[in-house]
């Protein structure tokens, strides 16, 4: 019922000039989810079990999304700003992986040692 109500409001009641708010409403969630991950990594000084493959694929995916949006839709700043925000957050995670790589290796070795005990 909630999804149907949302679709009805978004498609029929929300004026067209305010529909950009639907896309922009995603930004706080993105900032919270990636921001808390970045902050935790910064505080711990290691990335834990995060995979560089996953981080890289997220970054490449958002960069491709930006290029595709420009190519297919044009310079829609509402769409692009959300993707740009995601690209910045993914880039920070990517850089953190390499900055804290030695700490991460040490952390994972200690974790493996504790598992064997």
């Amino acid at each position: 019922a909630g999804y149907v109500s949302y679709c009805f409001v978004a498609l029929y009641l929300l004026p067209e000039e305010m529909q950009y708010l639907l896309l922009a409403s995603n930004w706080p969630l993105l900032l919270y989810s990636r921001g808390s991950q970045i902050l935790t990594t910064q505080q711990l000084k290691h990335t834990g079990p995060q995979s560089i493959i996953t981080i890289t694929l997220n970054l490449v995916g958002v960069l491709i999304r930006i290029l595709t949006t420009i190519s297919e839709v044009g310079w829609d700043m509402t769409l692009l700003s959300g993707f740009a925000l995601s690209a910045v957050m993914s880039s920070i995670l990517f850089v953190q992986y390499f900055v804290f790589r030695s700490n991460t290796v040490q952390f994972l070795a200690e974790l493996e040692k504790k598992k064997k005990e």
Side-chain angles (χ1 to χ4, degrees):
Y3 178 73
V4 173
S5 300
Y6 170 81
C7 288
F8 178 77
V9 169
L11 295 173
Y12 298 107
L13 298 181
L14 191 64
E16 189 172 328
E17 63 272 2
M18 296 188 75
Q19 288 182 354
Y20 74 94
L21 293 172
L22 296 173
L23 295 169
S25 66
N26 178 13
W27 300 345
L29 184 60
L30 173 66
L31 284 171
Y32 176 76
S33 64
R34 290 288 170 103
S36 63
Q37 189 176 8
I38 290 167
L39 185 61
T40 300
T41 299
Q42 191 65 36
Q43 290 171 342
L44 294 174
K45 304 290 187 214
H46 66 78
T47 59
Q50 283 184 350
S51 168
I52 189 60
I53 295 170
T54 303
I55 295 169
T56 303
L57 289 174
N58 281 332
L59 179 57
V60 170
V62 75
L63 294 174
I64 291 171
R65 218 173 293 129
I66 289 170
L67 295 174
T68 303
T69 300
I70 292 169
S71 169
E72 297 292 324
V73 180
W75 290 91
D76 184 340
M77 292 314 290
T78 305
L79 278 174
L80 288 174
S81 58
F83 295 151
L85 180 61
S86 182
V88 167
M89 303 294 253
S90 293
S91 297
I92 293 170
L93 287 171
F94 185 81
V95 169
Q96 279 183 328
Y97 180 85
F98 292 103
V99 168
F100 298 125
R101 187 169 183 202
S102 61
N103 292 351
T104 300
V105 169
Q106 182 181 359
F107 169 77
L108 293 175
E110 290 172 7
L111 188 64
E112 191 64 35
K113 185 179 175 183
K114 286 181 184 178
K115 282 183 181 180
K116 289 181 181 180
E117 292 177 356

